[in-house]
Amino acid sequence: MASESTKLVVDGILFDMDGTLIDSTPGVLGAWDTFKKDYPHLELERILRTSHGVRSIDTLRKELQLQDDPDESKLRAEVTRFEVEVIAKGLVLLPGVMPLLNQLSTGPESAGTRWTIVTSATRFYTPQALKSVEIQIPEHIVMAEDVTRGKPHPDPYLKGAQNLGLDPAQVVVIEDAPSGVRAGKAAGSKVIGVCTSHTAEELAAAEPDFIVQDLTKVSAGWVGDKIELTLETVQV
């Protein structure tokens, strides 16, 4: 597949977490296999195809079909149990992540914090997941509980830009899931899709501005207080 080099200058970066920084696929597959034993009606092939990038509580609310749970206490307990299973089954740092984060750490002091993570994961799961791959929790992180509406709604990325004190139109979102790409676009941001969990064709259907194979194809430098990204983009 053809590629070309592209430069992009932005005020900040909003990273998705699972599938963009961390490969949680083995953990997610193992967790759904465990839940299938307790909920035989689960259609795992369809769920795995459609749920990536969506908050666990939204997916489990839809799929478990819990009865007699008016305050959703059982649902929340099942979300925690699911995330424990994901962590137990293993998480892996994706290629190119640490070099890119290290490049972003070299900005001028006047720039302040110009990147954070915007994840559909919970406050329970997120710190443990990041710790397991030795990524420090960034300032201004946005997690599932911080918004009423998760991806593909724009709310998470609007919140991320607000936390950084930046205009959403001047930040770039980096995402691996079509739902997250749509969230970033709906927020008015540029979006880079990474082909770590979906094909370039699947990502292209969500209309990101750029597509790269993974974060080894993205490098960052600083031009004053702005971030200059160099992308080796995939042409679909």
Side-chain angles (χ1 to χ4, degrees), residues 128-145:
Q128 297 182 74
L130 292 173
K131 183 179 179 180
S132 75
V133 296
E134 300 182 349
I135 295 177
Q136 287 192 333
I137 299 174
E139 288 185 88
H140 311 307
I141 189 168
V142 178
M143 293 173 278
E145 297 90 343

Side-chain angles (χ1 to χ4, degrees), residues 40-235:
H41 70 272
L42 292 175
E43 300 173 12
L44 295 191
E45 184 176 342
R46 175 186 56 78
I47 292 170
L48 291 168
R49 189 173 63 248
T50 60
S51 65
H52 189 71
V54 179
R55 295 187 302 178
S56 296
I57 194 167
D58 294 331
T59 299
L60 292 175
R61 180 185 292 115
K62 175 183 176 183
E63 302 296 345
L64 299 188
Q65 301 173 20
L66 297 174
Q67 305 298 316
D68 301 319
D69 190 29
D71 63 353
E72 295 197 328
S73 57
K74 184 175 181 183
L75 174 63
R76 290 194 297 273
E78 288 296 74
V79 169
T80 299
R81 183 166 75 96
F82 185 87
E83 294 180 335
V84 167
E85 288 287 336
V86 173
I87 295 167
K89 297 295 192 296
L91 304 171
V92 180
L93 186 70
L94 282 163
V97 171
M98 279 306 186
L100 180 56
L101 295 184
N102 288 338
Q103 290 160 5
L104 292 173
S105 72
T106 64
E109 187 173 335
S110 61
T113 302
R114 291 298 185 95
W115 71 271
T116 196
I117 292 171
V118 176
T119 177
S120 296
T122 66
R123 292 190 184 112
F124 170 80
Y125 172 88
T126 301
Q128 297 182 74
L130 292 173
K131 183 179 179 180
S132 75
V133 296
E134 300 182 349
I135 295 177
Q136 287 192 333
I137 299 174
E139 288 185 88
H140 311 307
I141 189 168
V142 178
M143 293 173 278
E145 297 90 343
D146 295 322
V147 293
T148 302
R149 302 186 305 170
K151 305 170 189 178
H153 297 288
D155 306 35
Y157 284 116
L158 291 173
K159 178 70 171 173
Q162 179 185 49
N163 285 359
L164 292 176
L166 300 175
D167 180 348
Q170 302 304 318
V171 305
V172 66
V173 165
I174 303 184
E175 263 283 357
D176 72 301
S179 63
V181 171
R182 293 187 180 99
K185 294 296 292 182
S189 300
K190 297 284 189 185
V191 179
I192 300 169
V194 292
C195 303
T196 46
S197 65
H198 292 77
T199 66
E201 291 75 16
E202 288 170 332
L203 286 173
E207 302 184 345
D209 298 277
F210 310 97
I211 299 175
V212 297
Q213 195 60 43
D214 58 31
L215 290 183
T216 66
K217 305 302 183 183
V218 180
S219 60
W222 287 86
V223 180
D225 286 353
K226 293 186 179 290
I227 301 167
E228 183 179 66
L229 296 175
T230 302
L231 317 174
E232 292 298 324
T233 61
V234 171
Q235 303 304 301

